[in-house]
Amino acid sequence: MFDLPVVTAIERRHYRQFVKFIKSIGFIMFQESIYVKLSVNGGAIEKVKKAVEAHLPPKGMVSLLTVTEKQFGEIDNLLGEFVTDIVHTDNRLVEL
């Protein structure tokens, strides 16, 4: 999880570089500013922590939280109604 400033051009560059790095080592976006990665054991977790620490942006906050695969699998995702203005149809003409 991270909260990085993106006010100046330099901060935006640091943000992009950090996101590009964590993606390059196998993280995927779970939610905006929350990325997840599966690690096979404690040694792999420590290696990832050291790599992330070595690439920290100069400003902002990065938090690492380790959960087991079982704990991650028990996440309850509660969703509200999804509303969109996009019309999905095979018809050539749509009357609005």
Side-chain angles (χ1 to χ4, degrees), residues 56-89:
L56 287 176
K59 295 181 181 178
M61 181 183 75
V62 175
S63 300
L64 298 173
L65 172 67
T66 303
V67 298
T68 65
E69 189 174 357
K70 182 178 180 181
Q71 289 168 329
F72 187 80
E74 293 176 0
I75 292 175
D76 290 324
N77 294 307
L78 308 174
L79 306 172
E81 181 181 346
F82 182 73
V83 179
T84 180
D85 294 335
I86 300 172
V87 178
H88 295 285
T89 180

PDB file of all heavy atoms in Angstrom, residues 56-89:
ATOM      1  N   LEU A  56      12.468   2.895  -2.763  1.00  0.00           N
ATOM      2  CA  LEU A  56      11.482   3.808  -2.187  1.00  0.00           C
ATOM      3  C   LEU A  56      11.612   5.206  -2.786  1.00  0.00           C
ATOM      4  O   LEU A  56      12.717   5.711  -2.960  1.00  0.00           O
ATOM      5  CB  LEU A  56      11.675   3.922  -0.676  1.00  0.00           C
ATOM      6  CG  LEU A  56      11.246   2.736   0.161  1.00  0.00           C
ATOM      7  CD1 LEU A  56      11.590   2.983   1.629  1.00  0.00           C
ATOM      8  CD2 LEU A  56       9.762   2.478   0.004  1.00  0.00           C
ATOM      9  N   PRO A  57      10.480   5.836  -3.084  1.00  0.00           N
ATOM     10  CA  PRO A  57      10.522   7.241  -3.514  1.00  0.00           C
ATOM     11  C   PRO A  57      10.990   8.111  -2.342  1.00  0.00           C
ATOM     12  O   PRO A  57      10.828   7.738  -1.179  1.00  0.00           O
ATOM     13  CB  PRO A  57       9.072   7.556  -3.874  1.00  0.00           C
ATOM     14  CG  PRO A  57       8.418   6.223  -4.055  1.00  0.00           C
ATOM     15  CD  PRO A  57       9.138   5.276  -3.169  1.00  0.00           C
ATOM     16  N   PRO A  58      11.559   9.287  -2.632  1.00  0.00           N
ATOM     17  CA  PRO A  58      12.063  10.132  -1.561  1.00  0.00           C
ATOM     18  C   PRO A  58      10.977  10.678  -0.631  1.00  0.00           C
ATOM     19  O   PRO A  58      11.240  10.970   0.526  1.00  0.00           O
ATOM     20  CB  PRO A  58      12.774  11.277  -2.286  1.00  0.00           C
ATOM     21  CG  PRO A  58      12.413  11.165  -3.716  1.00  0.00           C
ATOM     22  CD  PRO A  58      11.836   9.819  -3.955  1.00  0.00           C
ATOM     23  N   LYS A  59       9.744  10.819  -1.118  1.00  0.00           N
ATOM     24  CA  LYS A  59       8.634  11.333  -0.298  1.00  0.00           C
ATOM     25  C   LYS A  59       7.474  10.347  -0.335  1.00  0.00           C
ATOM     26  O   LYS A  59       7.351   9.556  -1.244  1.00  0.00           O
ATOM     27  CB  LYS A  59       8.152  12.684  -0.834  1.00  0.00           C
ATOM     28  CG  LYS A  59       9.161  13.794  -0.741  1.00  0.00           C
ATOM     29  CD  LYS A  59       8.548  15.076  -1.271  1.00  0.00           C
ATOM     30  CE  LYS A  59       9.530  16.214  -1.228  1.00  0.00           C
ATOM     31  NZ  LYS A  59       8.954  17.446  -1.787  1.00  0.00           N
ATOM     32  N   GLY A  60       6.615  10.457   0.671  1.00  0.00           N
ATOM     33  CA  GLY A  60       5.429   9.612   0.711  1.00  0.00           C
ATOM     34  C   GLY A  60       5.585   8.461   1.678  1.00  0.00           C
ATOM     35  O   GLY A  60       6.563   8.367   2.412  1.00  0.00           O
ATOM     36  N   MET A  61       4.599   7.583   1.668  1.00  0.00           N
ATOM     37  CA  MET A  61       4.582   6.455   2.592  1.00  0.00           C
ATOM     38  C   MET A  61       4.299   5.164   1.827  1.00  0.00           C
ATOM     39  O   MET A  61       3.399   5.114   0.988  1.00  0.00           O
ATOM     40  CB  MET A  61       3.488   6.651   3.642  1.00  0.00           C
ATOM     41  CG  MET A  61       3.421   5.534   4.658  1.00  0.00           C
ATOM     42  SD  MET A  61       2.078   5.737   5.840  1.00  0.00           S
ATOM     43  CE  MET A  61       0.671   5.299   4.840  1.00  0.00           C
ATOM     44  N   VAL A  62       5.064   4.137   2.131  1.00  0.00           N
ATOM     45  CA  VAL A  62       4.852   2.804   1.573  1.00  0.00           C
ATOM     46  C   VAL A  62       4.716   1.848   2.752  1.00  0.00           C
ATOM     47  O   VAL A  62       5.551   1.850   3.651  1.00  0.00           O
ATOM     48  CB  VAL A  62       6.026   2.373   0.662  1.00  0.00           C
ATOM     49  CG1 VAL A  62       5.839   0.944   0.187  1.00  0.00           C
ATOM     50  CG2 VAL A  62       6.167   3.331  -0.513  1.00  0.00           C
ATOM     51  N   SER A  63       3.666   1.056   2.771  1.00  0.00           N
ATOM     52  CA  SER A  63       3.436   0.072   3.835  1.00  0.00           C
ATOM     53  C   SER A  63       3.406  -1.308   3.230  1.00  0.00           C
ATOM     54  O   SER A  63       2.771  -1.527   2.196  1.00  0.00           O
ATOM     55  CB  SER A  63       2.103   0.335   4.539  1.00  0.00           C
ATOM     56  OG  SER A  63       2.078   1.614   5.114  1.00  0.00           O
ATOM     57  N   LEU A  64       4.079  -2.254   3.875  1.00  0.00           N
ATOM     58  CA  LEU A  64       4.057  -3.647   3.446  1.00  0.00           C
ATOM     59  C   LEU A  64       3.323  -4.460   4.499  1.00  0.00           C
ATOM     60  O   LEU A  64       3.632  -4.385   5.683  1.00  0.00           O
ATOM     61  CB  LEU A  64       5.486  -4.178   3.272  1.00  0.00           C
ATOM     62  CG  LEU A  64       6.331  -3.475   2.222  1.00  0.00           C
ATOM     63  CD1 LEU A  64       7.768  -3.979   2.265  1.00  0.00           C
ATOM     64  CD2 LEU A  64       5.749  -3.676   0.849  1.00  0.00           C
ATOM     65  N   LEU A  65       2.349  -5.227   4.060  1.00  0.00           N
ATOM     66  CA  LEU A  65       1.545  -6.060   4.951  1.00  0.00           C
ATOM     67  C   LEU A  65       1.626  -7.489   4.437  1.00  0.00           C
ATOM     68  O   LEU A  65       1.303  -7.746   3.276  1.00  0.00           O
ATOM     69  CB  LEU A  65       0.087  -5.584   4.964  1.00  0.00           C
ATOM     70  CG  LEU A  65      -0.925  -6.449   5.703  1.00  0.00           C
ATOM     71  CD1 LEU A  65      -0.638  -6.430   7.203  1.00  0.00           C
ATOM     72  CD2 LEU A  65      -2.334  -5.955   5.429  1.00  0.00           C
ATOM     73  N   THR A  66       2.043  -8.399   5.292  1.00  0.00           N
ATOM     74  CA  THR A  66       2.138  -9.803   4.900  1.00  0.00           C
ATOM     75  C   THR A  66       0.940 -10.563   5.451  1.00  0.00           C
ATOM     76  O   THR A  66       0.665 -10.516   6.655  1.00  0.00           O
ATOM     77  CB  THR A  66       3.436 -10.424   5.447  1.00  0.00           C
ATOM     78  OG1 THR A  66       4.540  -9.662   4.969  1.00  0.00           O
ATOM     79  CG2 THR A  66       3.583 -11.862   4.997  1.00  0.00           C
ATOM     80  N   VAL A  67       0.198 -11.214   4.570  1.00  0.00           N
ATOM     81  CA  VAL A  67      -0.921 -12.076   4.966  1.00  0.00           C
ATOM     82  C   VAL A  67      -0.727 -13.432   4.310  1.00  0.00           C
ATOM     83  O   VAL A  67      -0.107 -13.538   3.251  1.00  0.00           O
ATOM     84  CB  VAL A  67      -2.300 -11.482   4.576  1.00  0.00           C
ATOM     85  CG1 VAL A  67      -2.550 -10.169   5.277  1.00  0.00           C
ATOM     86  CG2 VAL A  67      -2.425 -11.308   3.095  1.00  0.00           C
ATOM     87  N   THR A  68      -1.262 -14.445   4.929  1.00  0.00           N
ATOM     88  CA  THR A  68      -1.150 -15.787   4.357  1.00  0.00           C
ATOM     89  C   THR A  68      -2.124 -15.922   3.186  1.00  0.00           C
ATOM     90  O   THR A  68      -3.058 -15.131   3.030  1.00  0.00           O
ATOM     91  CB  THR A  68      -1.472 -16.864   5.399  1.00  0.00           C
ATOM     92  OG1 THR A  68      -2.847 -16.748   5.773  1.00  0.00           O
ATOM     93  CG2 THR A  68      -0.574 -16.752   6.613  1.00  0.00           C
ATOM     94  N   GLU A  69      -1.895 -16.953   2.395  1.00  0.00           N
ATOM     95  CA  GLU A  69      -2.795 -17.204   1.265  1.00  0.00           C
ATOM     96  C   GLU A  69      -4.212 -17.472   1.759  1.00  0.00           C
ATOM     97  O   GLU A  69      -5.189 -17.029   1.163  1.00  0.00           O
ATOM     98  CB  GLU A  69      -2.279 -18.384   0.441  1.00  0.00           C
ATOM     99  CG  GLU A  69      -3.009 -18.593  -0.845  1.00  0.00           C
ATOM    100  CD  GLU A  69      -2.382 -19.673  -1.714  1.00  0.00           C
ATOM    101  OE1 GLU A  69      -1.342 -20.233  -1.353  1.00  0.00           O
ATOM    102  OE2 GLU A  69      -2.967 -19.953  -2.769  1.00  0.00           O
ATOM    103  N   LYS A  70      -4.325 -18.164   2.883  1.00  0.00           N
ATOM    104  CA  LYS A  70      -5.649 -18.452   3.452  1.00  0.00           C
ATOM    105  C   LYS A  70      -6.336 -17.160   3.898  1.00  0.00           C
ATOM    106  O   LYS A  70      -7.525 -16.959   3.624  1.00  0.00           O
ATOM    107  CB  LYS A  70      -5.523 -19.405   4.632  1.00  0.00           C
ATOM    108  CG  LYS A  70      -6.852 -19.794   5.237  1.00  0.00           C
ATOM    109  CD  LYS A  70      -6.699 -20.771   6.368  1.00  0.00           C
ATOM    110  CE  LYS A  70      -8.073 -21.113   6.920  1.00  0.00           C
ATOM    111  NZ  LYS A  70      -8.008 -22.034   8.048  1.00  0.00           N
ATOM    112  N   GLN A  71      -5.599 -16.270   4.564  1.00  0.00           N
ATOM    113  CA  GLN A  71      -6.182 -15.000   4.996  1.00  0.00           C
ATOM    114  C   GLN A  71      -6.626 -14.174   3.790  1.00  0.00           C
ATOM    115  O   GLN A  71      -7.707 -13.589   3.794  1.00  0.00           O
ATOM    116  CB  GLN A  71      -5.169 -14.209   5.820  1.00  0.00           C
ATOM    117  CG  GLN A  71      -4.896 -14.799   7.181  1.00  0.00           C
ATOM    118  CD  GLN A  71      -3.694 -14.160   7.851  1.00  0.00           C
ATOM    119  OE1 GLN A  71      -2.754 -13.724   7.194  1.00  0.00           O
ATOM    120  NE2 GLN A  71      -3.724 -14.111   9.179  1.00  0.00           N
ATOM    121  N   PHE A  72      -5.803 -14.145   2.748  1.00  0.00           N
ATOM    122  CA  PHE A  72      -6.151 -13.395   1.547  1.00  0.00           C
ATOM    123  C   PHE A  72      -7.401 -13.978   0.897  1.00  0.00           C
ATOM    124  O   PHE A  72      -8.261 -13.249   0.421  1.00  0.00           O
ATOM    125  CB  PHE A  72      -4.984 -13.408   0.562  1.00  0.00           C
ATOM    126  CG  PHE A  72      -5.194 -12.517  -0.630  1.00  0.00           C
ATOM    127  CD1 PHE A  72      -4.983 -11.153  -0.538  1.00  0.00           C
ATOM    128  CD2 PHE A  72      -5.612 -13.046  -1.838  1.00  0.00           C
ATOM    129  CE1 PHE A  72      -5.181 -10.325  -1.632  1.00  0.00           C
ATOM    130  CE2 PHE A  72      -5.811 -12.227  -2.948  1.00  0.00           C
ATOM    131  CZ  PHE A  72      -5.590 -10.863  -2.843  1.00  0.00           C
ATOM    132  N   GLY A  73      -7.520 -15.296   0.911  1.00  0.00           N
ATOM    133  CA  GLY A  73      -8.674 -15.960   0.322  1.00  0.00           C
ATOM    134  C   GLY A  73      -9.959 -15.699   1.069  1.00  0.00           C
ATOM    135  O   GLY A  73     -11.053 -15.888   0.524  1.00  0.00           O
ATOM    136  N   GLU A  74      -9.863 -15.266   2.314  1.00  0.00           N
ATOM    137  CA  GLU A  74     -11.051 -14.997   3.121  1.00  0.00           C
ATOM    138  C   GLU A  74     -11.530 -13.552   3.021  1.00  0.00           C
ATOM    139  O   GLU A  74     -12.434 -13.140   3.743  1.00  0.00           O
ATOM    140  CB  GLU A  74     -10.777 -15.368   4.576  1.00  0.00           C
ATOM    141  CG  GLU A  74     -10.600 -16.869   4.771  1.00  0.00           C
ATOM    142  CD  GLU A  74     -10.239 -17.241   6.195  1.00  0.00           C
ATOM    143  OE1 GLU A  74     -10.122 -16.340   7.050  1.00  0.00           O
ATOM    144  OE2 GLU A  74     -10.067 -18.438   6.443  1.00  0.00           O
ATOM    145  N   ILE A  75     -10.965 -12.775   2.099  1.00  0.00           N
ATOM    146  CA  ILE A  75     -11.412 -11.396   1.911  1.00  0.00           C
ATOM    147  C   ILE A  75     -12.838 -11.408   1.359  1.00  0.00           C
ATOM    148  O   ILE A  75     -13.151 -12.129   0.419  1.00  0.00           O
ATOM    149  CB  ILE A  75     -10.482 -10.641   0.933  1.00  0.00           C
ATOM    150  CG1 ILE A  75      -9.113 -10.450   1.563  1.00  0.00           C
ATOM    151  CG2 ILE A  75     -11.090  -9.297   0.542  1.00  0.00           C
ATOM    152  CD1 ILE A  75      -8.099  -9.825   0.620  1.00  0.00           C
ATOM    153  N   ASP A  76     -13.694 -10.618   1.970  1.00  0.00           N
ATOM    154  CA  ASP A  76     -15.061 -10.450   1.473  1.00  0.00           C
ATOM    155  C   ASP A  76     -15.104  -9.143   0.693  1.00  0.00           C
ATOM    156  O   ASP A  76     -14.887  -8.066   1.254  1.00  0.00           O
ATOM    157  CB  ASP A  76     -16.071 -10.384   2.627  1.00  0.00           C
ATOM    158  CG  ASP A  76     -16.238 -11.717   3.320  1.00  0.00           C
ATOM    159  OD1 ASP A  76     -16.186 -12.749   2.624  1.00  0.00           O
ATOM    160  OD2 ASP A  76     -16.416 -11.728   4.547  1.00  0.00           O
ATOM    161  N   ASN A  77     -15.364  -9.220  -0.605  1.00  0.00           N
ATOM    162  CA  ASN A  77     -15.495  -8.037  -1.448  1.00  0.00           C
ATOM    163  C   ASN A  77     -16.970  -7.704  -1.565  1.00  0.00           C
ATOM    164  O   ASN A  77     -17.741  -8.467  -2.135  1.00  0.00           O
ATOM    165  CB  ASN A  77     -14.894  -8.291  -2.834  1.00  0.00           C
ATOM    166  CG  ASN A  77     -13.402  -8.479  -2.758  1.00  0.00           C
ATOM    167  OD1 ASN A  77     -12.699  -7.642  -2.211  1.00  0.00           O
ATOM    168  ND2 ASN A  77     -12.911  -9.578  -3.291  1.00  0.00           N
ATOM    169  N   LEU A  78     -17.363  -6.581  -1.015  1.00  0.00           N
ATOM    170  CA  LEU A  78     -18.756  -6.147  -1.026  1.00  0.00           C
ATOM    171  C   LEU A  78     -18.893  -5.058  -2.078  1.00  0.00           C
ATOM    172  O   LEU A  78     -18.199  -4.047  -2.025  1.00  0.00           O
ATOM    173  CB  LEU A  78     -19.157  -5.621   0.350  1.00  0.00           C
ATOM    174  CG  LEU A  78     -18.854  -6.586   1.510  1.00  0.00           C
ATOM    175  CD1 LEU A  78     -19.150  -5.914   2.835  1.00  0.00           C
ATOM    176  CD2 LEU A  78     -19.633  -7.861   1.352  1.00  0.00           C
ATOM    177  N   LEU A  79     -19.773  -5.276  -3.030  1.00  0.00           N
ATOM    178  CA  LEU A  79     -19.909  -4.359  -4.153  1.00  0.00           C
ATOM    179  C   LEU A  79     -21.288  -3.727  -4.175  1.00  0.00           C
ATOM    180  O   LEU A  79     -22.285  -4.388  -3.933  1.00  0.00           O
ATOM    181  CB  LEU A  79     -19.670  -5.110  -5.475  1.00  0.00           C
ATOM    182  CG  LEU A  79     -18.352  -5.879  -5.587  1.00  0.00           C
ATOM    183  CD1 LEU A  79     -18.337  -6.721  -6.845  1.00  0.00           C
ATOM    184  CD2 LEU A  79     -17.194  -4.919  -5.563  1.00  0.00           C
ATOM    185  N   GLY A  80     -21.302  -2.459  -4.499  1.00  0.00           N
ATOM    186  CA  GLY A  80     -22.567  -1.758  -4.696  1.00  0.00           C
ATOM    187  C   GLY A  80     -23.033  -1.952  -6.125  1.00  0.00           C
ATOM    188  O   GLY A  80     -22.428  -2.676  -6.917  1.00  0.00           O
ATOM    189  N   GLU A  81     -24.106  -1.283  -6.481  1.00  0.00           N
ATOM    190  CA  GLU A  81     -24.652  -1.377  -7.837  1.00  0.00           C
ATOM    191  C   GLU A  81     -23.700  -0.706  -8.813  1.00  0.00           C
ATOM    192  O   GLU A  81     -23.206   0.384  -8.581  1.00  0.00           O
ATOM    193  CB  GLU A  81     -26.013  -0.692  -7.901  1.00  0.00           C
ATOM    194  CG  GLU A  81     -26.661  -0.772  -9.267  1.00  0.00           C
ATOM    195  CD  GLU A  81     -28.016  -0.065  -9.303  1.00  0.00           C
ATOM    196  OE1 GLU A  81     -28.552   0.247  -8.225  1.00  0.00           O
ATOM    197  OE2 GLU A  81     -28.511   0.170 -10.399  1.00  0.00           O
ATOM    198  N   PHE A  82     -23.426  -1.374  -9.920  1.00  0.00           N
ATOM    199  CA  PHE A  82     -22.553  -0.833 -10.958  1.00  0.00           C
ATOM    200  C   PHE A  82     -23.405  -0.117 -11.982  1.00  0.00           C
ATOM    201  O   PHE A  82     -24.304  -0.699 -12.573  1.00  0.00           O
ATOM    202  CB  PHE A  82     -21.762  -1.960 -11.629  1.00  0.00           C
ATOM    203  CG  PHE A  82     -20.802  -1.479 -12.673  1.00  0.00           C
ATOM    204  CD1 PHE A  82     -19.638  -0.816 -12.311  1.00  0.00           C
ATOM    205  CD2 PHE A  82     -21.059  -1.668 -14.013  1.00  0.00           C
ATOM    206  CE1 PHE A  82     -18.760  -0.362 -13.265  1.00  0.00           C
ATOM    207  CE2 PHE A  82     -20.188  -1.218 -14.975  1.00  0.00           C
ATOM    208  CZ  PHE A  82     -19.027  -0.564 -14.599  1.00  0.00           C
ATOM    209  N   VAL A  83     -23.161   1.178 -12.165  1.00  0.00           N
ATOM    210  CA  VAL A  83     -23.938   1.990 -13.091  1.00  0.00           C
ATOM    211  C   VAL A  83     -22.999   2.494 -14.175  1.00  0.00           C
ATOM    212  O   VAL A  83     -21.912   2.979 -13.897  1.00  0.00           O
ATOM    213  CB  VAL A  83     -24.589   3.190 -12.372  1.00  0.00           C
ATOM    214  CG1 VAL A  83     -25.367   4.043 -13.349  1.00  0.00           C
ATOM    215  CG2 VAL A  83     -25.482   2.702 -11.250  1.00  0.00           C
ATOM    216  N   THR A  84     -23.443   2.391 -15.422  1.00  0.00           N
ATOM    217  CA  THR A  84     -22.644   2.894 -16.529  1.00  0.00           C
ATOM    218  C   THR A  84     -23.554   3.522 -17.578  1.00  0.00           C
ATOM    219  O   THR A  84     -24.706   3.134 -17.714  1.00  0.00           O
ATOM    220  CB  THR A  84     -21.792   1.775 -17.163  1.00  0.00           C
ATOM    221  OG1 THR A  84     -21.037   2.327 -18.225  1.00  0.00           O
ATOM    222  CG2 THR A  84     -22.641   0.648 -17.698  1.00  0.00           C
ATOM    223  N   ASP A  85     -23.021   4.484 -18.290  1.00  0.00           N
ATOM    224  CA  ASP A  85     -23.766   5.112 -19.376  1.00  0.00           C
ATOM    225  C   ASP A  85     -23.464   4.455 -20.712  1.00  0.00           C
ATOM    226  O   ASP A  85     -23.986   4.861 -21.738  1.00  0.00           O
ATOM    227  CB  ASP A  85     -23.410   6.603 -19.467  1.00  0.00           C
ATOM    228  CG  ASP A  85     -23.888   7.351 -18.237  1.00  0.00           C
ATOM    229  OD1 ASP A  85     -24.838   6.878 -17.590  1.00  0.00           O
ATOM    230  OD2 ASP A  85     -23.307   8.398 -17.929  1.00  0.00           O
ATOM    231  N   ILE A  86     -22.621   3.447 -20.706  1.00  0.00           N
ATOM    232  CA  ILE A  86     -22.238   2.762 -21.940  1.00  0.00           C
ATOM    233  C   ILE A  86     -23.311   1.742 -22.293  1.00  0.00           C
ATOM    234  O   ILE A  86     -23.698   0.913 -21.472  1.00  0.00           O
ATOM    235  CB  ILE A  86     -20.871   2.072 -21.793  1.00  0.00           C
ATOM    236  CG1 ILE A  86     -19.807   3.113 -21.469  1.00  0.00           C
ATOM    237  CG2 ILE A  86     -20.522   1.293 -23.048  1.00  0.00           C
ATOM    238  CD1 ILE A  86     -18.468   2.526 -21.125  1.00  0.00           C
ATOM    239  N   VAL A  87     -23.776   1.808 -23.522  1.00  0.00           N
ATOM    240  CA  VAL A  87     -24.797   0.869 -23.986  1.00  0.00           C
ATOM    241  C   VAL A  87     -24.107  -0.265 -24.728  1.00  0.00           C
ATOM    242  O   VAL A  87     -23.375  -0.038 -25.682  1.00  0.00           O
ATOM    243  CB  VAL A  87     -25.806   1.587 -24.922  1.00  0.00           C
ATOM    244  CG1 VAL A  87     -26.834   0.601 -25.440  1.00  0.00           C
ATOM    245  CG2 VAL A  87     -26.473   2.732 -24.192  1.00  0.00           C
ATOM    246  N   HIS A  88     -24.312  -1.486 -24.258  1.00  0.00           N
ATOM    247  CA  HIS A  88     -23.731  -2.663 -24.903  1.00  0.00           C
ATOM    248  C   HIS A  88     -24.835  -3.373 -25.690  1.00  0.00           C
ATOM    249  O   HIS A  88     -25.763  -3.930 -25.106  1.00  0.00           O
ATOM    250  CB  HIS A  88     -23.145  -3.632 -23.867  1.00  0.00           C
ATOM    251  CG  HIS A  88     -21.994  -3.053 -23.124  1.00  0.00           C
ATOM    252  ND1 HIS A  88     -20.754  -2.910 -23.672  1.00  0.00           N
ATOM    253  CD2 HIS A  88     -21.903  -2.562 -21.870  1.00  0.00           C
ATOM    254  CE1 HIS A  88     -19.936  -2.376 -22.793  1.00  0.00           C
ATOM    255  NE2 HIS A  88     -20.612  -2.147 -21.683  1.00  0.00           N
ATOM    256  N   THR A  89     -24.736  -3.320 -27.000  1.00  0.00           N
ATOM    257  CA  THR A  89     -25.747  -3.945 -27.825  1.00  0.00           C
ATOM    258  C   THR A  89     -25.152  -4.341 -29.169  1.00  0.00           C
ATOM    259  O   THR A  89     -24.158  -3.771 -29.603  1.00  0.00           O
ATOM    260  CB  THR A  89     -26.956  -3.015 -28.044  1.00  0.00           C
ATOM    261  OG1 THR A  89     -27.903  -3.676 -28.863  1.00  0.00           O
ATOM    262  CG2 THR A  89     -26.547  -1.710 -28.704  1.00  0.00           C
TER     263      THR A  89
END
